[in-house]
Amino acid sequence: MYSEVAMNPSQTDSFSLLGERAVLADQARACQCELASIQKAARMKKLCVTRELQQRAEAICTVKIEYVFSDQFDQLNACDQILIPLQKLCAVLNPDTDSESLDFTSQYSQLYSVPLLEKEQEPVLFKGMNYLKYRAAVLREEIDLKSPCVGLLDRIEQKLKDAQRIRDYIIQANLRLVVSIAKGLTDRANLFDDIVSDGQMPLIRAVEIFDVERGNRFSTYGTWAVRNFLFRSTKQRRKYRSTFLSGVESVAMGLSDFRSSQRSYESYHYTIHGVLKKVLESLDEREQMILKRRFGLHQSGTPQKFREIAEDLGVSTERVRQLTIRSLKRLREAVEEQNLEIPEII
């Protein structure tokens, strides 16, 4: 019964028939290898199975099958309680954007193609996903590596594949959750695409370990998991950016008291002078003047204090400090845009 469903490509690839396929597979009897084929192979090659089949069985045995267990899985009517509702729900959902694996980078334009899961739909999908993985783990214990059954391997692989399809659908239905959180964390140090990309990892993990029997909605648990992860990752980017900016000032200040051989100094000075010239041209005249005087890049070569620059410009010392910080930030952006690299001090 199961083999007929599994051998039909259109049914195998259809999400709407996933539930029906799972029910048939769970109700099917243990598969019997064709004795005639085995006997023929034994007579010709003195072997009952090929090396390729053994490698396939070994690969299945090494796969990590992780699932959230439920006492309902061991009940005799587990198929009726779990897979029958899954069959009905999959037939209703049947997403137009169904695919073997999700390409998240192309999902933004189709973000709302998969609707949010309703409260009563979540238990059906999560229990169905975990039950399929549980059954695959149970069937895997029946594998005989010396003489693996083709039908048994087919059933295990199909169950794992269907479980992944359900997982992907849940992820796609909740991807907008990551996008919503990413919008509030976007800044110069954290680009929107980078945050969304990072947020997919905790979302996937949250789907895999979520226990629906605790009575919580997945959106509540998923939001906590994604936000907690992204807060840490965005903070690290801001810290790196802040360190980079302070490093720019340190490099500029280091030019005045750089100690090395004359040849090394001249070589380094020539290189850094070329880089600074390129990035300074991206600033306006006032910003260029402030940075040159602040870091001793003008004719006198002596760094000046904020107070001295402020007196000449007729503004407050605090205003000069703010302009300096803003100019350094713009320098950093110019370095990134022009793909320039500031050499390390020798």
Side-chain angles (χ1 to χ4, degrees):
M1 183 185 298
Y2 172 77
S3 59
E4 294 179 358
V5 178
M7 292 300 292
N8 190 326
S10 61
Q11 290 183 339
T12 302
D13 294 335
S14 175
F15 187 87
S16 62
L17 296 178
L18 184 152
E20 179 182 356
R21 182 168 60 246
V23 172
L24 292 177
D26 210 59
Q27 294 176 341
R29 297 180 180 179
C31 179
Q32 298 292 330
C33 294
E34 295 184 6
L35 297 179
S37 299
I38 295 179
Q39 294 172 354
K40 181 178 180 180
R43 290 194 301 268
M44 297 179 61
K45 299 183 178 180
K46 306 299 181 182
L47 294 173
C48 293
V49 294
T50 63
R51 179 55 185 163
E52 289 76 13
L53 188 59
Q54 288 181 328
Q55 291 177 343
R56 180 183 170 192
E58 291 171 356
I60 293 177
C61 290
T62 57
V63 171
K64 182 180 180 181
I65 303 178
E66 186 179 18
Y67 55 88
V68 179
F69 179 76
S70 171
D71 293 335
Q72 194 176 16
F73 294 171
D74 286 333
Q75 297 178 6
L76 296 177
N77 59 347
C79 178
D80 295 336
Q81 292 184 1
I82 300 175
L83 296 184
I84 296 299
L86 178 66
Q87 175 185 358
K88 296 178 180 178
L89 180 58
C90 289
V92 173
L93 296 177
N94 190 21
D96 295 332
T97 57
D98 191 28
S99 59
E100 290 295 325
S101 60
L102 294 176
D103 179 10
F104 289 104
T105 59
S106 63
Q107 293 299 313
Y108 301 144
S109 60
Q110 302 176 352
L111 189 60
Y112 298 96
S113 61
V114 176
L116 289 172
L117 296 177
E118 299 179 5
K119 184 177 181 179
E120 62 274 10
Q121 293 176 339
E122 286 188 356
V124 176
L125 290 178
F126 276 100
K127 281 191 177 181
M129 176 187 68
N130 286 294
Y131 180 71
L132 288 173
K133 291 192 286 186
Y134 165 77
R135 289 293 299 156
V138 172
L139 291 175
R140 187 170 63 176
E141 299 298 325
E142 302 177 9
I143 295 179
D144 182 0
L145 292 177
K146 294 182 179 180
S147 180
C149 172
V150 178
L152 180 60
L153 301 184
D154 288 341
R155 293 178 65 189
I156 295 173
E157 290 176 341
Q158 189 62 57
K159 288 181 182 298
L160 293 176
K161 181 179 179 181
D162 288 342
Q164 183 174 355
R165 295 286 295 281
I166 298 175
R167 187 205 68 166
D168 289 347
Y169 184 89
I170 298 174
I171 293 172
Q172 191 172 5
N174 288 275
L175 183 60
R176 70 193 73 189
L177 182 150
V178 179
V179 175
S180 177
I181 298 175
K183 291 179 180 179
L185 298 175
T186 302
D187 53 31
R188 288 189 176 183
N190 298 278
L191 300 179
F192 177 76
D193 289 343
D194 293 339
I195 300 178
V196 173
S197 179
D198 289 347
Q200 294 165 16
M201 294 184 292
L203 177 64
I204 294 174
R205 185 57 182 165
V207 171
E208 293 174 341
I209 65 176
F210 178 65
D211 189 354
V212 71
E213 290 190 342
R214 294 193 176 187
N216 298 322
R217 290 294 303 272
F218 175 75
S219 58
T220 302
Y221 178 79
T223 299
W224 174 86
V226 173
R227 181 179 289 130
N228 189 46
F229 179 87
L230 289 181
F231 277 169
R232 294 197 304 268
S233 63
T234 53
K235 183 177 180 180
Q236 290 174 354
R237 287 198 187 95
R238 293 190 187 100
K239 183 178 180 181
Y240 170 79
R241 181 181 177 89
S242 177
T243 302
F244 185 91
L245 289 175
S246 62
V248 171
E249 184 169 351
S250 298
V251 170
M253 291 296 292
L255 292 177
S256 61
D257 59 356
F258 177 71
R259 299 292 184 267
S260 185
S261 64
Q262 185 65 24
R263 174 177 296 182
S264 298
Y265 178 83
E266 292 178 355
S267 176
Y268 176 82
H269 186 274
Y270 177 80
T271 302
I272 197 66
H273 182 271
V275 174
L276 291 175
K277 183 179 179 180
K278 289 182 180 179
V279 293
L280 284 174
E281 291 176 352
S282 64
L283 306 178
D284 58 38
E285 294 182 0
R286 184 173 66 170
E287 291 174 332
Q288 292 185 36
M289 184 271 292
I290 291 176
L291 291 183
K292 288 180 180 179
R293 294 180 61 176
R294 174 60 180 165
F295 300 115
L297 302 178
H298 55 312
Q299 293 181 353
S300 66
T302 303
Q304 296 182 351
K305 298 179 180 180
F306 289 136
R307 176 176 52 80
E308 297 174 337
I309 302 174
E311 290 177 355
D312 292 344
L313 292 179
V315 296
S316 65
T317 302
E318 176 62 21
R319 180 55 178 166
V320 173
R321 189 187 69 82
Q322 294 175 355
L323 291 173
T324 302
I325 295 175
R326 187 184 70 177
S327 300
L328 286 175
K329 291 181 178 179
R330 293 188 59 184
L331 273 181
R332 195 259 187 183
E333 295 171 355
V335 170
E336 293 179 344
E337 292 175 357
Q338 301 180 35
N339 293 323
L340 300 176
E341 183 175 346
I342 298 179
E344 296 182 357
I345 297 178
I346 303 174

